[in-house]
Amino acid sequence: MDVSEQLETQKSKYKSIAVEKPIPLQYDLALLAGFDTNALDESRLKNDTDNYLKEYTRDGTQLIINQIFKLPITSSDLGIMAELPEQTTVIPREKPLPKPKPPTRWERFAKAKGIQHRKKSKMTFDEATGEWVPRWGYKGTNDDSTNDWLIPVPQNDDPFEDQFSKRHEAKKERIVKNEARHRRNIEDAEAELNQSKGIDARSLRKAELQRQIAMSKTATASIGKFDKPLEGEPKLKGVKRKFEPSIGDVKKEKELSLNILKKIVGKKGDIVNVRKAIAKRDQ
Amino acid sequence: MLKKIKPKNARSKRALQKREPKTEENVKKAIFIRGSSTSQIVNEALSDLCKLKKPDAINFTKKNNTIHPFDNDTSLNFFCEKNDTSLFVVGSHSKKRPNNLTFIRMFDGQILDMVEVGIENAKSLSEFKTSKCAIGIKPLFLFVGDLFENSQVHKTFKNMLLDFYRGQSVKNINLSGLEHVISVTAIDSSSEQSSDTRAMPGIIYFRVYTTQFKKSGEKTPRIELEEMGPSYNFRIRRFKFANDDVYKLATKVPKVNKPKKIKNIDVNEMGDKIGRIHLGKQDLSKLQTRKMKGLKRIAEDYTEEDLESEELVPLTKKQKA
């Protein structure tokens, strides 16, 4: 007996997986979807809807599954996996594409100078202790306030000055300076985003400072009324009340009054809440 | 000036970062929400459709008087921003439009497109006493009918359903994880008179089946289906398509940063890694060969240049001689 014959008999024991369709289906296997444009048997659909749909869907699903099983297959410890192709159906995104981050001042400078970023490992070997320590941060090597037990006083310095606290102060200062730079970078980036509106970083910062000055001026007992004005301080503009002209448009005036009435009386025109009133009377 | 919400701790910072726009997006979440008045059918439909979408779905069970997606979208925008969701299904029931579901998609916090359907012949998930699929499994989709190719509304509705239920986009799929199929069949029965005057002619049959893999004698199994529910006949009512400009923006494809081509490293059939090294041309004049007396340079061989550069060597030799 031939092997192929044996296979045939084996196969004929089970129901077939082949499905015939006049128009072949279209697939988007990345979405596990099949699109069937064949005409349906409308009379059967009307009289025997659920059974017909189930049969029809079975055929379609079989075709999709046949396609999926044709994909390159790998077996991993999670199970047998089929590698899906690229998606062909266009589905809109949820949010717009992320905008590239505006470069910081240092990044712009480095680019102009052609300085390239070299990757450094975070840990360095400390020869003195024979241990790997972080280059910066907690227990880092560059934290020089903790490492030395003695600091020689420089030649022309005040011998009574505490060199340790001097170092500490210097570090604090550097941190403050760096934070200022960080803030400036954020402001610049913000201004770049608003560039289309014609706002630059300088005017943004200026407006913010002026707002803060104005706010701080109101912190006196007289809410700033008797304060000496600063040099070059802009005059604050308060809210100016506007009045309608006393003679003129009658129609507009009527409308305004009616609007107020409407707000008080409400849409339905019930001034008195009857239910509430009855409850009050019955008390 | 910087009026953005500043995260006060690392956890909230991470949470905000998750919401930022990304090239590879999160799974779209959906909110299933009730309008001012709903019927039993609509309520069940909402909770069943929500169960199909789980775990990326939120079911709002209170009624909301302010939600009228075709007239006013402010409250939807608010829910979208608050929950970081971009898909909505709004259910409502009125005399004008009984048993109404509105499928809504958002882009960038604004409504992109909507399709409103009326439900007929609803059967809920619990009415089918069969086994259900597991939560969070990608379904198979089958769209039947040429309407899904030809009619703009049906096309949008198809795209919407794909968007709602596709789940996480993956590179590989586990073949044993193909548990259910969502079948959507559209027919254009314009001859048939519908009681629903506000609907477009034609019905969309929405069915969900679980799949069973049977032996077929081949590698590919034979599929048998069992209806899992829910099951609806939809009739399309109102719709709103996306604005062309916005749609273009929403379908922009990110530039994928391609991996750099790896040069000079191959893997052969045995799985061994083979590297190629380019050395350049070898300078053979400086090659150290076997030392022999006959090959030694004698003083006459040295040119003047050699003498200038290698003064020491010949001089010492001369002295010795």
Side-chain angles (χ1 to χ4, degrees), chain A residues 11 15-16 32 34 36 50 54 57-58 62 64 66 78 80-82 84 90 92-96 208, chain B residues 1 19 21-23 25 28 84 108 141 143 145 159 171-175 183 220-223 225 250:
Chain A
K11 237 192 227 177
K15 281 181 188 170
S16 157
L32 309 174
D36 187 348
D50 281 339
K54 192 174 170 184
T57 308
R58 195 218 75 80
Q62 181 73 64
I64 299 171
N66 290 356
L78 291 169
I80 301 160
M81 309 290 270
L84 297 175
V90 178
R93 295 169 60 81
E94 179 176 27
K95 286 164 195 163
E208 171 67 9
Chain B
M1 143 169 55
R19 291 184 172 205
K22 293 174 214 155
T23 42
E25 293 202 301
K28 286 189 186 181
D84 191 30
D108 200 12
F141 291 97
F143 288 89
N159 200 294
K171 293 238 165 61
N172 297 302
I173 184 94
N174 196 335
L175 289 180
S183 151
T220 312
R222 179 173 165 93
I223 302 298
L225 298 182

Side-chain angles (χ1 to χ4, degrees), chain B residues 50-279:
Chain B
C50 179
K51 272 176 200 158
L52 268 188
K53 172 77 178 154
K54 285 268 174 192
D56 305 305
I58 310 167
N59 200 5
F60 281 11
T61 48
K62 278 186 188 164
K63 70 171 185 175
N64 292 276
N65 288 325
T66 54
I67 288 189
H68 304 288
F70 282 90
D71 310 324
N72 171 11
D73 58 2
T74 43
S75 43
L76 282 181
N77 292 355
F78 170 76
F79 284 133
C80 168
E81 204 177 338
K82 188 90 181 161
N83 297 287
D84 191 30
T85 54
S86 61
L87 301 173
F88 286 90
V89 180
V90 181
S92 62
H93 179 71
S94 65
K95 209 179 209 175
K96 222 177 181 182
R97 296 189 184 85
N99 301 330
N100 206 36
L101 287 183
T102 317
F103 291 81
I104 302 166
R105 267 197 298 197
M106 314 274 265
F107 170 69
D108 200 12
Q110 300 295 324
I111 286 179
L112 185 75
D113 43 14
M114 318 189 249
V115 175
E116 191 180 65
V117 291
I119 308 172
E120 285 172 7
N121 293 12
K123 272 188 212 162
S124 71
L125 201 62
S126 53
E127 269 176 59
F128 295 93
K129 303 284 178 232
T130 53
S131 61
K132 312 289 179 210
C133 69
I135 280 178
I137 275 193
K138 274 169 86 80
L140 299 165
F141 291 97
L142 182 69
F143 288 89
V144 182
D146 55 350
L147 276 173
F148 286 122
E149 288 295 311
N150 303 328
S151 149
Q152 189 62 39
V153 196
H154 286 79
K155 243 192 216 171
T156 311
F157 192 54
K158 175 180 84 175
N159 200 294
M160 235 174 215
L161 285 177
L162 284 171
D163 202 356
F164 261 83
Y165 290 109
R166 66 173 164 156
Q168 186 113 36
S169 53
V170 290
K171 293 238 165 61
N172 297 302
I173 184 94
N174 196 335
L175 289 180
S176 57
L178 306 167
E179 281 187 16
H180 62 309
V181 54
I182 295 177
S183 151
V184 190
T185 310
I187 56 154
D188 177 23
S189 55
S190 41
S191 57
E192 167 234 25
Q193 282 295 313
S194 160
S195 55
D196 196 346
T197 48
R198 274 168 221 284
M200 283 177 66
I203 312 176
I204 295 174
Y205 299 97
F206 182 91
R207 300 284 184 274
V208 185
Y209 305 92
T210 47
T211 58
Q212 289 158 346
F213 286 9
K214 295 274 160 67
K215 268 184 191 165
S216 69
E218 285 174 61
K219 223 167 92 186
T220 312
R222 179 173 165 93
I223 302 298
E224 291 298 339
L225 298 182
E226 191 176 29
E227 185 148 15
M228 170 181 116
S231 137
Y232 310 108
N233 295 358
F234 287 142
R235 276 179 196 280
I236 289 183
R237 286 178 182 151
R238 290 180 290 178
F239 46 83
K240 188 186 156 246
F241 295 139
N243 182 343
D244 275 352
D245 296 339
V246 181
Y247 191 77
K248 212 172 167 188
L249 210 67
T251 51
K252 220 173 177 184
V253 184
K255 254 190 212 163
V256 190
N257 14 354
K258 277 182 193 164
K260 251 190 184 173
K261 200 183 163 192
I262 301 165
K263 279 180 170 178
N264 302 332
I265 296 175
D266 308 310
V267 178
N268 67 3
E269 294 122 36
M270 303 298 290
D272 297 329
K273 206 176 187 183
I274 294 173
R276 225 176 314 136
I277 301 166
H278 295 272
L279 285 171

Side-chain angles (χ1 to χ4, degrees), chain A residues 1 4 12 19 28 34-35 40 73 85-86 144 148 173 184 200 219 244 270 277 280:
Chain A
M1 210 178 178
S4 59
S12 58
V19 180
D28 189 347
F35 310 109
L40 289 146
I73 283 171
E86 283 286 304
D144 40 28
D148 297 336
E173 227 166 72
R184 192 179 59 189
D200 62 334
E244 294 295 319
D270 295 332
K280 272 264 160 71

